[in-house]
mmCIF file of all heavy atoms in Angstrom:
data_model
loop_
_atom_site.group_PDB
_atom_site.id
_atom_site.type_symbol
_atom_site.label_atom_id
_atom_site.label_comp_id
_atom_site.label_asym_id
_atom_site.label_seq_id
_atom_site.Cartn_x
_atom_site.Cartn_y
_atom_site.Cartn_z
ATOM 1 N N SER E 30 103.901 -2.554 21.235
ATOM 2 C CA SER E 30 102.586 -2.083 21.799
ATOM 3 C C SER E 30 102.005 -0.999 20.930
ATOM 4 O O SER E 30 102.754 -0.088 20.526
ATOM 5 C CB SER E 30 102.834 -1.573 23.221
ATOM 6 O OG SER E 30 101.593 -1.096 23.771
ATOM 7 N N TYR E 31 100.659 -1.094 20.716
ATOM 8 C CA TYR E 31 100.032 -0.177 19.788
ATOM 9 C C TYR E 31 99.057 0.757 20.432
ATOM 10 O O TYR E 31 98.328 1.499 19.741
ATOM 11 C CB TYR E 31 99.303 -0.935 18.680
ATOM 12 C CG TYR E 31 100.262 -1.598 17.671
ATOM 13 C CD1 TYR E 31 100.687 -2.893 17.842
ATOM 14 C CD2 TYR E 31 100.750 -0.857 16.554
ATOM 15 C CE1 TYR E 31 101.571 -3.462 16.920
ATOM 16 C CE2 TYR E 31 101.557 -1.434 15.629
ATOM 17 C CZ TYR E 31 102.004 -2.726 15.791
ATOM 18 O OH TYR E 31 102.879 -3.308 14.960
ATOM 19 N N GLY E 32 98.957 0.727 21.805
ATOM 20 C CA GLY E 32 97.979 1.663 22.395
ATOM 21 C C GLY E 32 97.950 1.502 23.915
ATOM 22 O O GLY E 32 98.773 0.782 24.483
ATOM 23 N N VAL E 33 96.977 2.247 24.516
ATOM 24 C CA VAL E 33 96.770 2.249 25.968
ATOM 25 C C VAL E 33 95.323 2.078 26.270
ATOM 26 O O VAL E 33 94.458 2.612 25.531
ATOM 27 C CB VAL E 33 97.355 3.544 26.576
ATOM 28 C CG1 VAL E 33 96.695 4.794 25.962
ATOM 29 C CG2 VAL E 33 97.204 3.560 28.109
ATOM 30 N N ARG E 34 95.059 1.369 27.287
ATOM 31 C CA ARG E 34 93.632 1.214 27.785
ATOM 32 C C ARG E 34 93.483 1.917 29.121
ATOM 33 O O ARG E 34 94.203 1.562 30.074
ATOM 34 C CB ARG E 34 93.295 -0.255 27.951
ATOM 35 C CG ARG E 34 91.957 -0.501 28.634
ATOM 36 C CD ARG E 34 91.703 -2.029 28.722
ATOM 37 N NE ARG E 34 91.374 -2.609 27.411
ATOM 38 C CZ ARG E 34 91.397 -3.950 27.228
ATOM 39 N NH1 ARG E 34 91.670 -4.776 28.191
ATOM 40 N NH2 ARG E 34 91.110 -4.407 26.033
ATOM 41 N N PHE E 35 92.666 2.930 29.198
ATOM 42 C CA PHE E 35 92.309 3.589 30.416
ATOM 43 C C PHE E 35 91.041 2.956 30.978
ATOM 44 O O PHE E 35 90.091 2.781 30.260
ATOM 45 C CB PHE E 35 92.091 5.087 30.224
ATOM 46 C CG PHE E 35 93.329 5.851 29.816
ATOM 47 C CD1 PHE E 35 93.522 6.304 28.529
ATOM 48 C CD2 PHE E 35 94.306 6.190 30.707
ATOM 49 C CE1 PHE E 35 94.606 6.976 28.120
ATOM 50 C CE2 PHE E 35 95.459 6.887 30.378
ATOM 51 C CZ PHE E 35 95.590 7.274 29.079
ATOM 52 N N VAL E 36 91.031 2.722 32.273
ATOM 53 C CA VAL E 36 89.784 2.214 32.920
ATOM 54 C C VAL E 36 89.388 3.177 33.979
ATOM 55 O O VAL E 36 90.193 3.483 34.934
ATOM 56 C CB VAL E 36 90.032 0.806 33.532
ATOM 57 C CG1 VAL E 36 88.709 0.313 34.144
ATOM 58 C CG2 VAL E 36 90.531 -0.185 32.464
ATOM 59 N N ALA E 37 88.196 3.801 33.784
ATOM 60 C CA ALA E 37 87.796 4.845 34.676
ATOM 61 C C ALA E 37 87.406 4.273 36.045
ATOM 62 O O ALA E 37 87.261 3.084 36.243
ATOM 63 C CB ALA E 37 86.554 5.580 34.028
ATOM 64 N N PRO E 38 87.263 5.170 37.075
ATOM 65 C CA PRO E 38 86.894 4.702 38.396
ATOM 66 C C PRO E 38 85.576 3.903 38.480
ATOM 67 O O PRO E 38 85.367 3.081 39.292
ATOM 68 C CB PRO E 38 86.772 5.986 39.218
ATOM 69 C CG PRO E 38 87.738 6.904 38.545
ATOM 70 C CD PRO E 38 87.610 6.560 37.065
ATOM 71 N N ASN E 39 84.704 4.213 37.467
ATOM 72 C CA ASN E 39 83.433 3.465 37.406
ATOM 73 C C ASN E 39 83.571 2.104 36.753
ATOM 74 O O ASN E 39 82.575 1.393 36.575
ATOM 75 C CB ASN E 39 82.277 4.298 36.739
ATOM 76 C CG ASN E 39 82.670 4.610 35.258
ATOM 77 O OD1 ASN E 39 83.655 4.121 34.708
ATOM 78 N ND2 ASN E 39 81.839 5.402 34.649
ATOM 79 N N GLY E 40 84.788 1.759 36.293
ATOM 80 C CA GLY E 40 85.054 0.471 35.684
ATOM 81 C C GLY E 40 84.951 0.404 34.192
ATOM 82 O O GLY E 40 85.198 -0.679 33.603
ATOM 83 N N ARG E 41 84.564 1.502 33.586
ATOM 84 C CA ARG E 41 84.356 1.535 32.082
ATOM 85 C C ARG E 41 85.718 1.668 31.404
ATOM 86 O O ARG E 41 86.490 2.594 31.745
ATOM 87 C CB ARG E 41 83.402 2.585 31.700
ATOM 88 C CG ARG E 41 82.993 2.491 30.223
ATOM 89 C CD ARG E 41 81.710 3.237 30.017
ATOM 90 N NE ARG E 41 81.129 2.887 28.689
ATOM 91 C CZ ARG E 41 79.923 3.239 28.351
ATOM 92 N NH1 ARG E 41 79.127 3.936 29.151
ATOM 93 N NH2 ARG E 41 79.409 2.844 27.159
ATOM 94 N N PRO E 42 86.040 0.795 30.460
ATOM 95 C CA PRO E 42 87.346 0.924 29.772
ATOM 96 C C PRO E 42 87.272 1.822 28.557
ATOM 97 O O PRO E 42 86.206 2.051 27.932
ATOM 98 C CB PRO E 42 87.630 -0.508 29.293
ATOM 99 C CG PRO E 42 86.251 -1.106 29.088
ATOM 100 C CD PRO E 42 85.289 -0.429 30.134
ATOM 101 N N MET E 43 88.411 2.399 28.200
ATOM 102 C CA MET E 43 88.533 3.226 26.949
ATOM 103 C C MET E 43 89.809 2.866 26.362
ATOM 104 O O MET E 43 90.908 3.078 26.913
ATOM 105 C CB MET E 43 88.490 4.708 27.357
ATOM 106 C CG MET E 43 88.721 5.628 26.191
ATOM 107 S SD MET E 43 88.499 7.415 26.701
ATOM 108 C CE MET E 43 89.806 7.617 27.851
ATOM 109 N N ASN E 44 89.765 2.266 25.176
ATOM 110 C CA ASN E 44 90.988 1.890 24.370
ATOM 111 C C ASN E 44 91.372 3.040 23.486
ATOM 112 O O ASN E 44 90.613 3.529 22.667
ATOM 113 C CB ASN E 44 90.742 0.698 23.552
ATOM 114 C CG ASN E 44 90.534 -0.605 24.386
ATOM 115 O OD1 ASN E 44 91.091 -0.698 25.465
ATOM 116 N ND2 ASN E 44 89.736 -1.518 23.931
ATOM 117 N N ILE E 45 92.636 3.465 23.634
ATOM 118 C CA ILE E 45 93.211 4.541 22.831
ATOM 119 C C ILE E 45 94.376 4.043 22.003
ATOM 120 O O ILE E 45 95.444 3.811 22.524
ATOM 121 C CB ILE E 45 93.639 5.760 23.678
ATOM 122 C CG1 ILE E 45 92.534 6.229 24.611
ATOM 123 C CG2 ILE E 45 94.201 6.863 22.835
ATOM 124 C CD1 ILE E 45 91.357 6.814 23.876
ATOM 125 N N PRO E 46 94.197 3.758 20.722
ATOM 126 C CA PRO E 46 95.336 3.382 19.864
ATOM 127 C C PRO E 46 96.308 4.510 19.669
ATOM 128 O O PRO E 46 95.893 5.673 19.655
ATOM 129 C CB PRO E 46 94.647 2.931 18.569
ATOM 130 C CG PRO E 46 93.401 3.716 18.518
ATOM 131 C CD PRO E 46 92.957 3.934 19.951
ATOM 132 N N PHE E 47 97.557 4.199 19.582
ATOM 133 C CA PHE E 47 98.603 5.233 19.354
ATOM 134 C C PHE E 47 98.493 5.799 17.927
ATOM 135 O O PHE E 47 98.996 6.887 17.647
ATOM 136 C CB PHE E 47 99.985 4.704 19.614
ATOM 137 C CG PHE E 47 100.244 4.406 21.099
ATOM 138 C CD1 PHE E 47 100.935 3.232 21.473
ATOM 139 C CD2 PHE E 47 99.789 5.230 22.076
ATOM 140 C CE1 PHE E 47 101.165 3.009 22.824
ATOM 141 C CE2 PHE E 47 99.974 4.929 23.406
ATOM 142 C CZ PHE E 47 100.700 3.849 23.788
ATOM 143 N N TYR E 48 97.988 5.011 16.985
ATOM 144 C CA TYR E 48 97.792 5.456 15.620
ATOM 145 C C TYR E 48 96.293 5.635 15.352
ATOM 146 O O TYR E 48 95.565 4.665 15.562
ATOM 147 C CB TYR E 48 98.379 4.425 14.664
ATOM 148 C CG TYR E 48 99.883 4.380 14.588
ATOM 149 C CD1 TYR E 48 100.474 3.096 14.522
ATOM 150 C CD2 TYR E 48 100.703 5.506 14.587
ATOM 151 C CE1 TYR E 48 101.898 3.013 14.521
ATOM 152 C CE2 TYR E 48 102.037 5.443 14.518
ATOM 153 C CZ TYR E 48 102.662 4.180 14.443
ATOM 154 O OH TYR E 48 104.009 4.066 14.404
ATOM 155 N N ALA E 49 95.928 6.783 14.872
ATOM 156 C CA ALA E 49 94.531 6.995 14.513
ATOM 157 C C ALA E 49 94.154 6.118 13.295
ATOM 158 O O ALA E 49 93.070 5.535 13.261
ATOM 159 C CB ALA E 49 94.290 8.485 14.202
ATOM 160 N N GLN E 50 95.043 6.078 12.334
ATOM 161 C CA GLN E 50 94.876 5.229 11.139
ATOM 162 C C GLN E 50 96.168 4.494 10.853
ATOM 163 O O GLN E 50 97.052 5.080 10.223
ATOM 164 C CB GLN E 50 94.444 6.028 9.924
ATOM 165 C CG GLN E 50 93.058 6.704 10.077
ATOM 166 C CD GLN E 50 92.623 7.448 8.817
ATOM 167 O OE1 GLN E 50 93.469 7.890 8.045
ATOM 168 N NE2 GLN E 50 91.309 7.580 8.640
ATOM 169 N N ARG E 51 96.255 3.299 11.292
ATOM 170 C CA ARG E 51 97.485 2.567 11.224
ATOM 171 C C ARG E 51 97.614 1.959 9.782
ATOM 172 O O ARG E 51 96.668 1.382 9.264
ATOM 173 C CB ARG E 51 97.447 1.406 12.217
ATOM 174 C CG ARG E 51 98.727 0.558 12.228
ATOM 175 C CD ARG E 51 98.611 -0.430 13.392
ATOM 176 N NE ARG E 51 99.366 -1.579 13.165
ATOM 177 C CZ ARG E 51 99.184 -2.728 13.809
ATOM 178 N NH1 ARG E 51 98.248 -2.826 14.728
ATOM 179 N NH2 ARG E 51 99.894 -3.837 13.531
ATOM 180 N N GLN E 52 98.790 2.190 9.184
ATOM 181 C CA GLN E 52 99.039 1.682 7.877
ATOM 182 C C GLN E 52 99.580 0.207 7.975
ATOM 183 O O GLN E 52 100.226 -0.134 8.945
ATOM 184 C CB GLN E 52 100.078 2.524 7.135
ATOM 185 C CG GLN E 52 99.707 3.993 7.112
ATOM 186 C CD GLN E 52 98.401 4.152 6.255
ATOM 187 O OE1 GLN E 52 98.219 3.578 5.209
ATOM 188 N NE2 GLN E 52 97.557 5.061 6.754
ATOM 189 N N GLN E 53 99.319 -0.584 6.956
ATOM 190 C CA GLN E 53 99.773 -1.948 6.983
ATOM 191 C C GLN E 53 101.293 -2.000 6.986
ATOM 192 O O GLN E 53 101.934 -1.292 6.264
ATOM 193 C CB GLN E 53 99.274 -2.698 5.737
ATOM 194 C CG GLN E 53 99.630 -4.141 5.735
ATOM 195 C CD GLN E 53 98.931 -4.884 4.576
ATOM 196 O OE1 GLN E 53 98.355 -4.291 3.734
ATOM 197 N NE2 GLN E 53 99.059 -6.187 4.524
ATOM 198 N N GLY E 54 101.779 -2.815 7.949
ATOM 199 C CA GLY E 54 103.281 -2.902 8.047
ATOM 200 C C GLY E 54 103.861 -1.810 8.859
ATOM 201 O O GLY E 54 105.118 -1.846 9.021
#
């Protein structure tokens, strides 16, 4: 798993990757 998705009470999603800049491999 590479991140988390928060969904606010108003239904709007926010995707937060665990890596700000993921390197290949």
Side-chain angles (χ1 to χ4, degrees):
S30 177
Y31 288 92
V33 58
R34 171 181 290 167
F35 292 106
V36 182
N39 63 6
R41 191 159 193 169
M43 176 175 63
N44 291 329
I45 304 294
F47 292 141
Y48 288 136
Q50 292 183 337
R51 181 174 153 200
Q52 304 299 316
Q53 186 174 6

